[in-house]
Amino acid sequence: MTTATVPPATLTAAPVWARRAAHAIPLCALPSSLWRIAMASGVYVGYSDQVLRDVYDIPGWGIAYVVGLSVLAELAALLPLLLVSDRWRRLRPGALAASAWTASGILVLVALWQLVVAFTVESQTYMSSGTAQTLWAFAFAPLFAIPVLMTAVTWSYAKRHRAWKQAQPLEGA
């Protein structure tokens, strides 16, 4: 008597390390977002009032830009949670597979873009003190971890999706 193995209907659960990495990504984006929101709110972050007015147009449209950038960065940082969530296992895993690498690439580019903009000479020269630059560096330093974490989470999802796809019966057989 032979027993047939039934292929899994849904994707297997994400490993613990992938879940932790996915939860760490929004936490890595949070300090820089809070720093930008503080800047938009008028809290002293190292820029003089004149620099905020002339360069960043705060108060003005610069507030919408800075707050919008913070909101978009946090929303993008929440995307990896979709790849490790149990709620999405009921859906067809192929629904997220095509967008997993795209989301990973976009989030990595956004994080790197923020770092490039933040570390430009022009941005550094407007800071008024070494203490402000140190605080700024601590706020933006966690962004360096996002590309590595996002790539690991996406790789884990792709690996689990590939195993799920191979376990599916061939159509028409």
Side-chain angles (χ1 to χ4, degrees):
M1 181 184 210
T2 60
T3 58
T5 59
V6 178
T10 60
L11 202 60
T12 59
V16 175
W17 66 265
R19 289 178 182 271
R20 288 182 181 159
H23 283 83
I25 292 171
L27 295 175
C28 288
L30 188 62
S32 61
S33 293
L34 291 175
W35 184 88
R36 282 192 297 277
I37 289 173
M39 183 173 90
S41 300
V43 175
Y44 178 72
V45 293
Y47 296 125
S48 69
D49 289 340
Q50 182 181 357
V51 168
L52 288 176
R53 266 191 320 275
D54 297 344
V55 177
Y56 296 105
D57 201 19
I58 295 175
W61 75 269
I63 292 174
Y65 172 75
V66 170
V67 171
L69 181 61
S70 295
V71 169
L72 285 175
E74 284 304 316
L75 287 175
L78 291 172
L79 285 174
L81 295 175
L82 294 175
L83 301 179
V84 297
S85 174
D86 290 337
R87 291 181 209 160
W88 293 97
R89 286 181 18 192
R90 282 182 258 128
L91 296 177
R92 186 166 173 242
L96 289 175
S99 61
W101 283 107
T102 304
S104 176
I106 290 170
L107 188 58
V108 167
L109 288 175
V110 166
L112 292 175
W113 171 68
Q114 287 183 13
L115 288 170
V116 167
V117 168
F119 283 105
T120 60
V121 175
E122 183 176 327
S123 178
Q124 295 280 327
T125 57
Y126 293 132
M127 287 277 181
S128 60
S129 70
T131 304
Q133 285 182 340
T134 302
L135 179 64
W136 169 86
F138 278 116
F140 280 84
L143 291 177
F144 282 116
I146 289 177
V148 174
L149 293 171
M150 186 62 201
T151 302
V153 170
T154 306
W155 174 81
S156 171
Y157 180 81
K159 182 179 171 187
R160 289 182 291 118
H161 182 262
R162 203 171 19 256
W164 172 82
K165 207 169 187 178
Q166 289 174 353
Q168 295 303 306
L170 294 173
E171 291 184 26

